[in-house]
């Protein structure tokens, strides 16, 4: 798989065979970054990326430098679920989800201009759009200012803040990709 | 004969005790730490596990549908191409 015509990153479907290589992936040391590091390198099919692929049919991609090193720059994921809305009695409607997306620390803010993070998000949302997504939802820790600034720049909007069952204070954000009206 | 066996029995017992304590430590570490990691990664499943959308989210979605500029992407979308 290639990452469109940008020519900078190569996207590869994540499989069990990638886990060993991902064990050194590091997008930071903050708690939320540690979870993201663990998610992509989890060896057990009971958790992490493999679990998400098997249980929720999530698509997970590794993004590599398009050079002889093929170094992993980051990863993204895209899944789909259905929620009843606007109330309990409503029909289910499909919502696309980005459960995890991360860029290795050494590539944060790189390269200037069209950053790797932007390229990865562009590909992920592009894939969601291609699949017919109207809304894409993700969550970010309220203290993860770098990510929140990035999502804001992309066009994500905060729907609300909440404290999840793990006691993380997170913002739930979404973006609208197409108009159904 | 008993004096010859006794030291070997003690040594064997000692080795078994060491092995048992090592394995116990490994098992405990795995069950505690492994379980912790497993549970901590469940946070990534929460969005999938929800059944009904929150009211605030529904309102935000409705607003996005009525206002095309609200929550729309500021980047060019480039689908991942299957080779």
């Amino acid at each position: 798989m290639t990452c469109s015509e940008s020519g900078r990153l190569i996207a590869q479907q994540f499989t069990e065979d990638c886990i060993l290589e991902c064990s050194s992936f590091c997008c930071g040391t903050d708690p939320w970054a540690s979870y993201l590091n663990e998610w992509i390198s989890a060896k057990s099919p009971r958790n992490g990326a493999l679990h998400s692929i098997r249980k929720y049919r999530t698509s997970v991609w590794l993004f590599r430098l398009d050079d002889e090193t093929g170094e992993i720059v980051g990863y993204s994921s895209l899944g789909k679920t259905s929620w009843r809305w606007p109330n309990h009695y409503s029909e289910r409607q499909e919502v696309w989800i980005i459960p995890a997306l991360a860029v290795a620390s050494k590539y944060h803010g790189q390269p200037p201009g069209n950053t790797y993070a932007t390229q990865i998000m562009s590909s992920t949302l592009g894939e969601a759009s291609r699949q017919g997504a109207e809304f894409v939802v993700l969550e970010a820790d309220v203290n993860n200012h770098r990510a929140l600034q990035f999502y804001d720049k992309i066009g994500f909007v905060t729907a609300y803040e909440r404290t999840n069952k793990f006691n993380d204070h997170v913002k739930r954000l979404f973006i609208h990709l197409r108009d159904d009206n | 004969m008993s004096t010859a066996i006794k030291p070997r029995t003690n040594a064997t017992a000692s080795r078994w005790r060491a092995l048992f304590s090592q394995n116990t430590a490994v098992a405990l570490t795995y069950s505690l730490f492994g379980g912790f990691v497993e549970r901590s990664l469940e946070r990534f499943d929460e969005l999938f596990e929800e059944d009904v959308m929150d009211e605030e989210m529904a309102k935000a979605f409705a607003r996005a549908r009525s206002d095309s500029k609200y929550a729309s992407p500021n980047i060019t979308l480039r689908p991942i191409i299957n080779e």
Side-chain angles (χ1 to χ4, degrees):
Chain A
M1 301 175 93
T2 57
C3 179
S4 182
E5 69 264 26
S6 71
R8 291 181 181 178
L9 294 179
I10 300 285
Q12 174 197 1
Q13 194 91 40
F14 176 87
T15 64
E16 201 168 351
D17 299 334
C18 305
I19 289 177
L20 189 63
E21 197 182 355
C22 291
S23 59
S24 57
F25 181 82
C26 180
C27 64
T29 53
D30 291 306
W32 52 84
S34 301
Y35 300 137
L36 288 164
N37 297 337
E38 287 163 11
W39 191 80
I40 198 65
S41 60
K43 293 181 181 69
S44 167
R46 289 179 301 177
N47 56 37
L50 278 184
H51 163 75
S52 196
I53 290 167
R54 288 173 186 177
K55 185 167 184 185
Y56 305 113
R57 297 185 176 187
T58 305
S59 297
V60 182
W61 299 278
L62 296 179
F63 289 83
R64 298 174 181 277
L65 286 178
D66 188 12
D67 62 14
E68 64 281 359
T69 67
E71 197 172 333
I72 296 172
V73 170
Y75 71 84
S76 75
S77 54
L78 182 68
K80 189 167 69 171
T81 189
S82 61
W83 289 340
R84 295 182 193 281
W85 62 287
N87 58 51
H88 288 70
Y89 310 105
S90 307
E91 290 290 311
R92 287 184 175 276
Q93 297 191 48
E94 288 182 332
V95 178
W96 272 253
I97 290 167
I98 298 178
L101 185 150
V103 174
S105 303
K106 65 185 283 192
Y107 295 113
H108 284 176
Q110 298 297 321
N114 189 21
T115 61
Y116 292 128
T118 305
Q119 290 183 52
I120 291 171
M121 182 56 90
S122 163
S123 294
T124 309
L125 292 181
E127 185 61 22
S129 178
R130 191 186 67 77
Q131 292 179 18
E134 182 184 6
F135 292 103
V136 179
V137 179
L138 55 80
E139 286 189 336
D141 195 287
V142 293
N143 296 309
N144 189 357
H145 303 296
R146 171 183 284 275
L148 290 170
Q149 199 176 5
F150 170 68
Y151 294 140
D152 179 62
K153 187 178 140 198
I154 297 295
F156 277 86
V157 167
T158 302
Y160 60 93
E161 293 182 21
R162 72 186 186 103
T163 302
N164 66 18
K165 67 178 180 182
F166 303 95
N167 222 22
D168 306 326
H169 196 189
V170 296
K171 284 190 177 188
R172 184 167 286 190
L173 304 104
F174 75 97
I175 200 161
H176 187 217
L177 298 185
R178 70 180 162 85
D179 198 349
D180 266 5
N181 296 328
Chain B
M1 190 169 179
S2 63
T3 51
I5 291 170
K6 201 172 181 181
R8 277 206 301 271
T9 308
N10 282 345
T12 305
S14 175
R15 276 200 296 273
W16 274 109
R17 270 199 301 275
L19 192 63
F20 177 76
S21 62
Q22 267 181 358
N23 284 343
T24 306
V26 169
L28 277 174
T29 307
Y30 179 80
S31 61
L32 290 172
F33 184 69
F36 173 74
V37 169
E38 207 160 286
R39 279 193 300 279
S40 75
L41 293 180
E42 285 174 11
R43 58 176 36 82
F44 293 100
D45 299 343
E46 281 203 318
L47 284 166
F48 289 107
E49 295 293 338
E50 289 183 13
D51 185 50
V52 182
M53 188 187 294
D54 306 84
E55 197 179 334
E56 294 110 305
M57 198 89 201
K59 282 180 188 168
F61 276 19
R63 185 181 164 195
R65 280 181 168 171
S66 62
D67 179 355
S68 61
K69 288 181 183 170
Y70 181 69
S72 58
N74 297 324
I75 55 170
T76 307
L77 307 185
R78 301 176 185 280
I80 295 169
I81 301 162
N82 287 310
E83 277 185 337

